[in-house]
């Protein structure tokens, strides 16, 4: 498996790289903590606004729809302003919009707020992963899974914070306003410690252009990037489908875990948030060990095995109608899906001939179709049959991801 061996570090990382690694970890923490504060409140929002499962699923789908509609702007934003500045700015947008969820007077307002969060999340996701890959290259060894592990830890914290607030009667506006302030403070620190931006923007191929040549240079870079994307279209499509399946699996705990526990298993408010917490906690375990497993067995084997474990988790949650089994099943799902997102995005950022930011942005954008399609589809199936029956579609996504695992195999660089 020589083609899948880890990056070989030749020198210890310098102080700038160490600070940048911490700053990127903070970016992932902000991204993981933000929306997950809302997840345990979804049953309360559903009942408070009088929504059906289909309406709730459609409102939730506004988040990935915003990401899908505007996500392709991430590549140009990264190229223009740099991955660091773009990720911080997008994080600020998410933090400022988050409290608006609490004041939604109806379905349309909830969907609009989630749409805006989706836009910021898509830009931040692409930018922070691109910057993380820059830091990984500077380190000379695999660290991308660790960043996603930080995301999972932060998501657990967000889910726990939301569960505790919902369970103890803290008003939703107070809770989300406090979360927003924490996020803004973290972003301010991270912005001062990221890697210096490359001249001309991340991934610019002509950083030394004189000022008078920049317009022509920008057009040339745009044409070059478009040509590279067309040439790599089959691989990018396979990676996008894999990320779509991974997104559907990962999102199921956030969008439907609490509703499944309340509606199907009769769980109390605090326990209703536990499938999401269990999913994120086990995802953290998987990501903390993911770098070592990837270096040992290769990305393809790790992705394929994880996808199958996720499908098994769905089976446990659905076939054993007990609250403990529901929590355990979603935990197993989280363990399996742990490395799918980071390894797929890392592969997208290393497609031969394609700028890292463009590859991540394109695959991330297409992959968000899963976040858009699956919530309303599951909601519609749940209304027609049951939520337990609808969750089998998540198991099918796990099988699809296992079939597409070969797309993450490292390719030799183009010459």
């Amino acid at each position: 498996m020589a083609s899948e061996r880890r990056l070989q570090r030749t020198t210890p990382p310098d102080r700038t790289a160490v600070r940048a690694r911490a700053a990127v970890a903070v970016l992932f923490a902000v991204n993981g903590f933000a929306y997950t504060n809302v997840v345990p409140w979804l049953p309360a929002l559903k009942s408070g606004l009088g929504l059906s499962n289909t309406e709730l699923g459609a409102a939730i789908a506004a988040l990935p729809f915003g990401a899908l509609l505007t996500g392709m702007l991430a590549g140009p934003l990264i190229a223009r302003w740099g991955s660091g500045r773009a990720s911080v700015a997008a994080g600020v947008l998410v933090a400022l919009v988050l409290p608006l969820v609490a004041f939604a007077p109806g379905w349309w307002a909830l969907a609009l707020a989630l749409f805006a969060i989706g836009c910021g999340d898509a830009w931040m996701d692409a930018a922070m992963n691109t910057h993380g890959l820059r830091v990984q290259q500077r380190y000379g060894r695999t660290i991308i899974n660790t960043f996603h592990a930080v995301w999972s830890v932060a998501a657990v914290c967000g889910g726990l914070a939301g569960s505790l607030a919902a369970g103890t009667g803290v008003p939703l506006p107070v809770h989300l306003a406090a979360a927003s302030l924490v996020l803004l403070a973290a972003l301010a620190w991270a912005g001062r410690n990221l890697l210096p931006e490359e001249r001309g923007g991340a991934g610019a191929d002509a950083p030394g252009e004189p000022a008078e040549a920049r317009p022509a240079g920008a057009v040339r870079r745009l044409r070059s990037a478009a040509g590279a994307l067309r040439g790599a279209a089959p691989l990018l499509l396979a990676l996008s489908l894999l990320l779509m399946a991974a997104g559907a699996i990962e999102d199921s705990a956030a969008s439907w875990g609490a509703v499944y526990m309340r509606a199907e298993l009769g769980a109390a408010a605090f326990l209703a948030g536990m499938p999401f917490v269990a999913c994120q906690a086990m995802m953290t375990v998987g990501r903390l060990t993911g770098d070592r497993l990837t270096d040992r067995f290769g990305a393809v084997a790790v992705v394929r095995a994880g996808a199958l474990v996720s499908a098994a988790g769905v089976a446990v949650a659905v076939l054993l109608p007990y609250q403990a089994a529901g929590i355990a099943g979603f935990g197993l799902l989280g363990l399996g899906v742990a490395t799918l997102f980071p390894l797929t995005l890392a592969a997208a950022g290393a497609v031969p001939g394609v700028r890292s930011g463009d590859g991540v942005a394109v695959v991330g954008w297409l992959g968000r179709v899963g976040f858009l399609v699956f919530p309303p589809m599951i909601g519609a199936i749940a209304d027609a049959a049951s939520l337990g029956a609808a969750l089998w579609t998540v198991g099918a996504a796990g099988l699809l991801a296992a079939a597409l695992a070969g797309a993450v195999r490292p390719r030799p660089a183009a010459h």
Side-chain angles (χ1 to χ4, degrees), residues 153-181:
V153 171
V156 170
C157 292
L160 285 173
S163 294
L164 288 172
T168 57
V170 175
L172 179 57
V174 173
H175 171 61
L176 294 186
S180 178
L181 291 175

Side-chain angles (χ1 to χ4, degrees), residues 156 273-283 326-328 330-332 334-335:
V156 170
M274 288 303 102
F276 175 73
V277 173
C279 176
Q280 294 300 327
M282 294 305 293
M283 195 183 301
I327 296 171
F330 278 101
L332 192 61
L335 179 65

Side-chain angles (χ1 to χ4, degrees), residues 147-237:
F147 289 139
H148 286 261
V150 171
W151 187 98
S152 297
V153 171
V156 170
C157 292
L160 285 173
S163 294
L164 288 172
T168 57
V170 175
L172 179 57
V174 173
H175 171 61
L176 294 186
S180 178
L181 291 175
V182 171
L183 296 174
L184 291 171
L187 287 165
W189 181 87
R192 295 193 297 268
N193 291 280
L194 295 167
L195 290 178
E197 302 294 356
E198 296 174 345
R199 290 189 61 189
D205 59 358
E209 289 178 312
E212 62 273 14
R214 283 175 190 162
V219 172
R220 184 173 64 253
R221 287 196 296 272
L222 181 61
R223 290 174 177 170
S224 176
L229 290 172
R230 284 194 299 270
L235 178 57
L236 291 171
L237 179 59

